[in-house]
Amino acid sequence: YFAGLSDSKGQYLSAEKYKDYLAGASVNSVGIGVETIQDEDGNMEVVTVIPGSPAEQEGILIGDVIIKVGDKDVKRIGYSDAVGKLDGAVGASLDLELLRTVESEDEDGEAQSSLTTVKVTVVRQAYEHKNITAERIHGSIGYLRISKFTNQTVEQFQEEVENLLEQGATELLFDVRNCSGGDVEAVGKILDLLLPAGNLIGTVDKEGKEEFQIQSDSRELDMPMAVLVNDGTYGAAELFVSTIKDH
């Protein structure tokens, strides 16, 4: 079925795996505390290290590439299965092999980079997972980094936006780079907070009939907004970006 869609980002989830996915979207998670994307070689590139997580405590960095989980090569077992192995019981250890880019200078003082292999053992623990981080930058810009759209994201988003407005933000910048998953309903709730009354997200069937599943009420934030995206922005995040752009 997914082969017919020609969607390289699409994945089939069995009932059991979908249950695990929903559990992973909760505020409190158990695992090592990283978010990854599949790189061009089929390995796992770390794009987020959750503050206070076991991964942060063991020194795993954004940009590290996980090439082995336990004694299994990521490319051999497949990206999806490798991601699933990051979670597990509290207190269980996990051996990882990473590729890390190291920056240095040559004899002439020119910058150069090289790859080194790093092996770490991470003990899985419970940690709080925030899907939103926010700060005020350049004086008036409220910057919000969204890592995933879930029901918890909606509450976190509203809280962070209110804080930014209280700090004097007059523009909003949403960063959804490498935001690769989430729930469409959560996207709709967040867009409803931002945009004026109207239809937001809908579908068109093969007969050309258009049906809107998500609408916005009259509440809105009437201020300049922009969105940062990259090749790792897909799924629910694409709906968020395109709807903001349309308005």
Side-chain angles (χ1 to χ4, degrees), residues 91-236:
S93 62
L94 179 66
D95 294 326
L96 298 174
E97 187 170 324
L98 318 170
L99 284 180
R100 178 173 295 168
T101 301
V102 178
E103 304 292 340
S104 60
E105 293 184 355
D106 60 20
E107 295 179 353
D108 299 322
E110 297 291 332
Q112 59 182 8
S113 60
S114 60
L115 286 177
T116 186
T117 301
V118 179
K119 295 182 178 181
V120 297
T121 299
V122 187
V123 178
R124 300 181 181 95
Q125 298 292 342
Y127 60 91
E128 182 179 357
H129 186 177
K130 289 198 67 175
N131 295 321
I132 301 278
T133 56
E135 61 178 312
R136 189 161 59 95
I137 61 175
H138 302 299
S140 62
I141 300 175
Y143 169 86
L144 296 101
R145 164 84 173 105
I146 305 173
S147 61
K148 186 179 290 186
F149 289 92
T150 69
N151 287 332
Q152 289 74 31
T153 308
V154 178
E155 183 178 346
Q156 294 171 8
F157 182 89
Q158 189 166 10
E159 179 181 334
E160 295 293 357
V161 167
E162 289 175 354
N163 289 338
L164 289 170
L165 294 179
E166 289 175 0
Q167 295 171 26
T170 58
E171 306 162 89
L172 294 177
L173 176 61
F174 308 113
D175 187 349
V176 291
R177 290 174 294 182
N178 300 316
C179 182
S180 57
D183 178 63
V184 173
E185 184 177 347
V187 170
K189 290 178 179 178
I190 289 176
L191 290 170
D192 185 23
L193 298 171
L194 300 173
L195 301 178
N199 295 320
L200 296 181
I201 298 174
T203 58
V204 179
D205 65 19
K206 63 181 181 180
E207 305 297 333
K209 181 181 178 182
E210 190 173 31
E211 181 179 351
F212 286 91
Q213 284 81 29
I214 297 176
Q215 292 86 28
S216 178
D217 59 26
S218 59
R219 296 176 303 166
E220 66 172 302
L221 278 179
D222 186 13
M223 59 196 308
M225 302 177 192
V227 188
L228 295 174
V229 302
N230 66 1
D231 290 342
T233 304
Y234 58 90

Side-chain angles (χ1 to χ4, degrees), residues 38-44 66 74-75 78-79:
Q38 187 174 18
D39 70 6
E40 295 179 351
D41 297 321
N43 291 310
M44 304 164 65
I66 302 173
V74 172
K75 289 193 289 188
Y79 177 80

